[in-house]
Amino acid sequence: MIAHGRPRVLIVGGGFGGLYAARALRRSDVDVTVLERGTSHVFQPLLYQCATGLVSEGSISSPLRHLLRKQKNARVALGEATTVDPDARVVTASRFDGSTYEFTYDYLVVAAGMRQSYHGHDDYIQYAPGMKTLDDALTVRRKLIAAFEMAESLPNAEDRRPWLTFAVAGGGPTGVELAGQIRELAIRALAHEFSSIDPGEARVLLLHGGDRVLPSFDKKLSAAAQKTLDAVGVETHLGVHVTDVTGGDVETTSKAEPKTVTRYDTRTVLWTAGVEAVPFARQLAGALGVEQDRSGRIAVESDLSVPGHRNVWVVGDLMSYQDLAGVAEVAMQGGRHVGSLIATDLGDPTASRQAFRYRDFGTAAYISRGHALVQAGPLRMSGFLGWVSWGVIHIAFLSGARNRVGTLINWAATLATGSRRERAITFGDPETARRPYR
């Protein structure tokens, strides 16, 4: 029974799941609050293109306040959810300055997403940035561009070699896309811009523990991806785990006996090997009395609600349901489903709820120009046709007409000129920017 006016829906997270849940409630008589750690909705599938200079950060992110500006029953709050009290129906969040404030709710939708996992080696973070946030993408861009610039300034090939060696940990879609784009950056965009070095000599190592890249794809598509990686010059090392990362090299150990240890001299290691739940997920699971899986995901009922808590749902990457992958389309459909359930629940709280049914519109991966993979049910596409389909899919899912048009223009300009203009590097903050390099 709600006795305080309009029902309050609190959505934690402004990614695909949170945004689509909010939009599904635009005609409902509720007050919707979207609590987000950052100010923007980020299109994570194209982060690697931001990192390699194809698109700007503005092309793949849209301010949440702008996206929801016409939804009169919705507001956006900037903060990071830290604790939840399910009895009092209160979520506490931290502000930028460390102070806290509270949000009461009648319905809670948690779409907080996942973060990069270093499998117990968080010390790797300082040397091997991930690929989950805009900060990650800009850090990777800085490391990539700076590596070529450093190599250009060094007097001999031996000194240049570690700077022109790039190691990518993880052979899933993000790792494969990132490795392919580093080689494409080197052999196309930078090919004629340096005097002392040949960027085409850049060595890109793709390090993966499985027996094939893109294990979530059909074996034939995986083989097609490997063929393209070989053609653009990516060195793929399968069946190995990264067992050490330093500022000057990366170590791998083979899974098979004998355990062969190999070290590669490199100044640039990029990490895409696995994800884990955000810190709030653990507190949420403890407060609700539910368990998490090895990655921290929370198991949900068929309607995506948390067991024993009819008014709390988990959607997107953070939910564990029917082995669904942590991809954008799962989050979109899950958010939309939960929003519609809340709208129905407002009319009849005791009504039976429809189970979530995921419609698989496919997954895709971009390897290099003219080569991408698309897998949707029985449909399998690769090569040029897959590349065109990949582009259509990603443009359709970008938020905002301005971002769609801007990204299309960037892609067209890159195809026409071979250049990548989004290569400005930042130093992180004004204090760091004012310091000498060392």
Side-chain angles (χ1 to χ4, degrees):
M1 186 85 176
I2 299 168
H4 46 68
R6 293 211 304 183
R8 299 160 299 189
V9 180
L10 176 62
I11 300 172
V12 178
F16 290 110
L19 181 61
Y20 276 69
R23 285 175 167 172
L25 290 163
R26 62 187 177 279
R27 295 188 179 88
S28 299
D29 189 26
V30 293
D31 290 322
V32 178
T33 298
V34 178
L35 176 63
E36 168 57 36
R37 189 172 186 264
T39 58
S40 297
H41 167 80
V42 178
F43 190 73
Q44 288 187 344
L46 290 182
L47 278 173
Y48 74 94
Q49 292 206 358
C50 176
T52 55
L54 260 175
V55 299
S56 70
E57 60 271 28
S59 297
I60 59 170
S61 63
S62 298
L64 279 168
R65 295 187 187 281
H66 179 77
L67 293 175
L68 295 172
R69 69 193 185 283
K70 295 181 180 179
Q71 188 168 327
K72 301 303 181 183
N73 67 345
R75 73 183 185 104
V76 176
L78 183 65
E80 182 173 15
T82 54
T83 63
V84 59
D85 183 340
D87 296 324
R89 295 187 175 183
V90 172
V91 168
T92 302
S94 294
R95 298 186 181 94
F96 264 179
D97 65 355
S99 62
T100 61
Y101 61 144
E102 295 182 341
F103 298 86
T104 55
Y105 66 85
D106 298 297
Y107 301 96
L108 176 62
V109 182
V110 181
M114 306 286 277
R115 65 180 186 178
Q116 204 74 63
S117 172
Y118 289 84
H119 310 292
H121 294 280
D122 286 352
D123 53 305
Y124 293 174
I125 296 173
Q126 61 182 313
Y127 305 119
M131 190 51 62
K132 294 294 287 182
T133 67
L134 283 177
D135 293 280
D136 289 336
L138 294 178
T139 299
V140 170
R141 183 197 293 177
R142 179 169 63 246
K143 288 179 73 70
L144 291 177
I145 301 304
F148 286 104
E149 295 291 348
M150 275 294 301
E152 171 77 358
S153 71
L154 294 171
N156 58 68
E158 185 178 350
D159 291 338
R160 294 169 183 164
R161 194 170 296 113
W163 290 101
L164 291 177
T165 300
F166 304 89
V168 180
T174 303
V176 167
E177 290 171 328
L178 188 55
Q181 285 306 296
I182 295 172
R183 276 295 296 169
E184 198 163 280
L185 171 69
I187 63 179
R188 293 183 186 273
L190 303 182
H192 306 293
E193 296 191 4
F194 290 84
S195 302
S196 300
I197 63 169
D198 175 7
E201 294 178 1
R203 186 182 182 194
V204 180
L205 312 173
L206 182 60
L207 313 173
H208 182 52
D211 59 359
R212 62 186 177 97
V213 297
L214 300 176
S216 62
F217 282 72
D218 177 82
K219 287 186 176 181
K220 289 185 178 179
L221 289 181
S222 177
Q226 185 63 69
K227 185 176 180 180
T228 301
L229 288 170
D230 293 342
V232 298
V234 174
E235 298 178 30
T236 305
H237 298 266
L238 300 174
V240 298
H241 289 309
V242 174
T243 47
D244 191 29
V245 181
T246 72
D249 62 9
V250 61
E251 176 191 89
T252 65
T253 303
S254 63
K255 292 171 63 177
E257 297 291 348
K259 302 286 188 180
T260 304
V261 177
T262 307
R263 296 195 83 93
Y264 301 94
D265 291 333
T266 173
R267 296 302 184 99
T268 308
V269 181
L270 309 176
W271 194 273
T272 69
V275 293
E276 64 183 13
V278 296
F280 177 62
R282 176 178 294 182
Q283 203 285 324
L284 176 72
L288 300 182
V290 295
E291 294 185 356
Q292 298 173 270
D293 66 12
R294 290 179 59 186
S295 297
R297 295 182 178 89
I298 295 174
V300 294
E301 302 283 10
S302 62
D303 64 346
L304 308 187
S305 66
V306 177
H309 298 272
R310 188 176 169 86
N311 67 326
V312 180
W313 291 264
V314 176
V315 300
D317 295 1
L318 192 56
M319 77 175 186
S320 175
Y321 181 67
Q322 293 184 347
D323 295 323
L324 290 176
V327 296
E329 189 58 41
V330 172
M332 292 176 189
Q333 292 184 34
R336 192 184 297 120
H337 177 79
V338 168
S340 67
L341 289 183
I342 294 174
T344 301
D345 202 70
L346 295 170
D348 183 5
T350 62
S352 60
R353 292 177 175 175
Q354 185 177 1
F356 174 61
R357 220 176 133 196
Y358 175 59
R359 293 168 179 80
D360 186 2
F361 292 108
T363 54
Y366 179 169
I367 316 301
S368 68
R369 181 182 301 188
H371 295 275
L373 312 176
V374 175
Q375 176 175 298
L379 180 65
R380 306 283 188 269
M381 287 186 288
S382 60
F384 184 79
L385 184 59
W387 184 58
V388 172
S389 300
W390 173 93
V392 171
I393 292 168
H394 282 71
I395 288 295
F397 284 160
L398 272 170
S399 294
R402 182 172 179 174
N403 281 5
R404 295 189 191 102
V405 173
T407 300
L408 271 175
I409 291 173
N410 272 346
W411 285 351
T414 299
L415 284 173
T417 66
S419 65
R420 300 190 183 203
R421 296 184 60 83
E422 301 297 340
R423 285 166 20 209
I425 64 173
T426 60
F427 297 95
D429 58 75
E431 181 182 357
T432 302
R434 283 169 61 91
R435 296 177 191 159
Y437 279 173
R438 289 291 182 190

